Amino acid sequence: MKVQVKVSQDAMEAHMIVSAEPNEEISKEDLLSQLKSHGVVYGIMEDAIENIVKSKIFDKPVLVAVGKKPVDGKDGQIVIIKPEQTEDGQSIADKGKIDLRELPARMRTIVKAGQTVAEIIPPTEGEEGRNVLGRVLKPKVGKPPQLKLGRNVRLIEDGKKVVAAVDGILIAATDGTIDVNEVLNVQGDVDYSTGNIDFPGEVRIKGDVKPGFTVKAKGDVVVGGVVEAATVVSFEGSVSALGIKGREKGIVKAKEEVRAKFVENAVVEAGKAVIVDGPITNSQIKAGEKVIAKGSKGVIVGGTISAGFYVEAEEIGSELGVSTHVEVGVEPEERERMKVLKAQLELDRENLSKLVAVYKTLKEIMDRNQGKLPPDKIELFRKVGQSMINLRNNIELAERELEEIQRRMREKYMFAKVIARRVLHPGVEICIFDKRYYNDKSLQKVLLVLEDEQVRVGGYSGDSEV
């Protein structure tokens, strides 16, 4: 018997060629001994050896050993964690009708402070290999991920996770940089390409906010163009825009201020001030402190203007006598509460009057029947009496609240005023606190204040507050 063992150049395979007489006896142990004598000690295929012996495979190369290739380590990864809910607050899995204005918002990843935005998966070392000669083959170790911490993010859990330090929009760049931006920048218009916006920071829009769209932000909203028949809300900051065209749709609202170059057919509300560098036309304006139309074109024509302390414009009303209503001396919310209380008092007093009439009728029946009522009237009598007690209590509480609001407002807004820097036109109704004045003629440079429980009209020669 003659045995040849051939090891491949990379020592990852070994072949055996056995030469023997047809009737010559060979054994598995002999062949294994031959492999060992040639240095082949790993990956031996004993089934192949047995097959040579059993089937008498002679003078042919047979693969009898195979090495194990090393498994290189995997490179580390940065895995961005997508929230289960999108900017619009809907679950990604939600089904049903889809508003096309909401679709682009689902592409923006909005995160909260403390939220995990990425996980760092470390590289692996890989697995060692071995050739048929028993030599260990080292794998390539994986490379660590290229992580670059940008703004408003930090590492936790020994560098295994990245969390947001603030509320904002998650931005993951191709170079491995992770940012959370507190400002959402829109390079063009808010339309179907951007969708509605609901952002926990500041929003800056270069273009317009198109009709029917909504922009809501925790911080300031700055619109380079026009807000047109759209809704724009700043929950904790201010709103500024080139102009506001309401077309009797949508609303612009801010906790602090609303500023624009013009306001037309719009609803605007501000916790502090509405300041317009131009005309305010046919609009519903509410401000906790003041409303000012600045400049030579700063006129207020039509609509209702409500402010806590101060309303000022170059002109109020128009030569055509357009109905214009101006209210100062009560916060818009307080005024609304007073209206509700007055309406509720009127309704409660009317209902109480009706119940008193029913009660008297039942009492007359009792008097005629020696203090007794028919069985079907006893429960009614009890309910009427209880309802009268409840209504009297409600009326008393409402009267107290109304008196308290009026007292507080008198003290707080005793210096409230309305100023027409050039002209107060006929057709303008002025309300300071609860006193009204209707102007029926053109007046030049007017200052209106509350004095001795009356609206006093005087001359104006001062400077604007802004």
Side-chain angles (χ1 to χ4, degrees):
M1 177 184 70
K2 181 181 178 182
V3 177
Q4 298 179 60
V5 176
K6 294 184 177 181
V7 178
S8 64
Q9 188 173 358
D10 60 3
M12 293 302 291
E13 292 183 353
H15 288 77
M16 177 179 283
I17 302 173
V18 178
S19 299
E21 296 298 327
N23 297 324
E24 187 176 354
E25 292 293 329
I26 59 175
S27 68
K28 175 182 176 183
E29 288 71 21
D30 291 337
L31 299 184
L32 289 173
S33 178
Q34 287 292 329
L35 285 176
K36 186 175 181 181
S37 66
H38 284 81
V40 178
V41 296
Y42 181 83
I44 296 172
M45 304 166 62
E46 293 194 13
D47 288 348
I49 301 294
E50 291 176 353
N51 194 39
I52 292 174
V53 174
K54 182 179 179 180
S55 302
K56 296 185 181 297
I57 302 174
F58 298 151
D59 301 318
K60 291 182 180 179
V62 177
L63 181 65
V64 292
V66 176
K68 178 185 176 183
K69 292 183 179 180
V71 178
D72 291 341
K74 293 182 178 180
D75 292 342
Q77 292 180 295
I78 302 170
V79 180
I80 302 300
I81 307 299
K82 295 285 186 179
E84 293 183 359
Q85 289 190 326
T86 55
E87 178 186 322
D88 58 7
Q90 288 186 315
S91 169
I92 295 173
D94 284 350
K95 296 181 179 180
K97 293 184 178 179
I98 296 176
D99 187 340
L100 292 178
R101 289 169 295 193
E102 301 295 346
L103 281 178
R106 300 188 179 191
M107 304 303 293
R108 293 187 286 268
T109 303
I110 306 302
V111 296
K112 299 290 185 182
Q115 180 178 328
T116 299
V117 299
E119 289 185 355
I120 311 303
I121 299 177
T124 61
E125 294 183 356
E127 297 180 15
E128 292 182 344
R130 196 178 292 267
N131 64 19
V132 296
L133 302 178
R135 184 178 301 164
V136 175
L137 305 176
K138 295 291 186 179
K140 289 182 180 179
V141 177
K143 297 177 182 179
Q146 296 300 308
L147 172 65
K148 297 179 182 179
L149 291 182
R151 293 167 295 175
N152 302 318
V153 293
R154 56 189 176 87
L155 286 171
I156 62 170
E157 296 183 13
D158 296 327
K160 294 179 181 178
K161 290 184 178 180
V162 181
V163 297
V166 298
D167 296 350
I169 185 168
L170 177 63
I171 301 174
T174 54
D175 66 353
T177 302
I178 298 177
D179 287 290
V180 174
N181 200 335
E182 294 178 278
V183 179
L184 176 61
N185 291 295
V186 178
Q187 297 304 316
D189 298 332
V190 173
D191 53 19
Y192 285 102
S193 66
T194 63
N196 292 333
I197 294 172
D198 190 349
F199 189 66
E202 180 182 342
V203 177
R204 293 183 173 272
I205 302 160
K206 281 194 174 180
D208 302 331
V209 181
K210 293 299 184 181
F213 285 86
T214 299
V215 177
K216 296 178 182 178
K218 183 178 180 181
D220 293 343
V221 179
V222 179
V223 182
V226 177
V227 178
E228 186 174 358
T231 296
V232 177
V233 179
S234 171
F235 293 106
E236 295 185 8
S238 299
V239 174
S240 65
L242 177 64
I244 301 171
K245 288 185 178 181
R247 285 167 36 184
E248 300 180 353
K249 296 178 181 178
I251 185 173
V252 175
K253 188 173 183 179
K255 183 180 180 181
E256 298 292 325
E257 294 184 349
V258 174
R259 290 178 176 260
K261 298 289 186 183
F262 65 89
V263 177
E264 178 183 308
N265 296 312
V267 177
V268 178
E269 297 181 8
K272 290 185 178 179
V274 175
I275 300 174
V276 181
D277 292 323
I280 301 174
T281 309
N282 295 323
S283 296
Q284 307 300 312
I285 311 292
K286 292 182 180 180
E289 295 179 2
K290 58 190 176 184
V291 176
I292 299 176
K294 297 169 60 180
S296 60
K297 295 182 180 180
V299 299
I300 296 174
V301 181
T304 298
I305 311 297
S306 298
F309 297 96
Y310 189 82
V311 172
E312 178 190 333
E314 186 76 357
E315 297 182 26
I316 302 177
S318 72
E319 294 178 353
L320 299 177
V322 175
S323 177
T324 306
H325 188 73
V326 177
E327 301 176 346
V328 292
V330 178
E331 293 179 6
E333 292 79 8
E334 295 279 20
R335 186 176 295 279
E336 290 300 319
R337 181 59 182 162
M338 287 172 64
K339 288 180 181 179
V340 170
L341 287 171
K342 288 178 179 179
Q344 189 61 50
L345 280 169
E346 183 179 352
L347 180 61
D348 286 349
R349 286 167 179 158
E350 181 182 343
N351 289 335
L352 180 59
S353 178
K354 292 177 181 178
L355 287 172
V356 168
V358 174
Y359 187 84
K360 286 181 178 179
T361 300
L362 294 173
K363 197 72 171 62
E364 290 172 0
I365 295 174
M366 288 180 65
D367 292 341
R368 291 197 302 267
N369 290 277
Q370 300 178 346
K372 296 182 180 180
L373 280 172
D376 61 329
K377 296 292 192 294
I378 294 174
E379 182 63 19
L380 175 61
F381 183 75
R382 187 191 66 78
K383 289 182 177 179
V384 168
Q386 187 61 50
S387 296
M388 288 171 60
I389 293 172
N390 293 339
L391 276 176
R392 286 193 176 106
N393 288 338
N394 291 342
I395 290 170
E396 183 179 354
L397 290 173
E399 287 175 340
R400 287 180 184 175
E401 184 180 354
L402 186 59
E403 288 174 3
E404 175 60 24
I405 291 174
Q406 291 172 333
R407 182 197 64 77
R408 187 169 64 249
M409 293 303 103
R410 283 192 184 94
E411 293 177 356
K412 188 174 182 181
Y413 298 111
M414 60 186 299
F415 300 110
K417 55 189 173 182
V418 176
I419 293 174
R421 296 189 298 269
R422 187 168 56 172
V423 183
L424 178 67
H425 291 284
V428 177
E429 184 180 33
I430 307 289
C431 179
I432 301 181
F433 188 54
D434 58 352
K435 304 303 178 183
R436 296 183 180 275
Y437 168 78
Y438 184 79
N439 189 49
D440 58 1
K441 59 184 177 181
S442 180
L443 299 175
Q444 307 294 315
K445 298 182 179 180
V446 177
L447 167 66
L448 298 99
V449 297
L450 188 65
E451 190 174 282
D452 297 328
E453 296 294 316
Q454 297 293 326
V455 176
R456 185 180 70 81
V457 181
Y460 172 72
S461 59
D463 296 325
S464 169
E465 284 202 356
V466 175

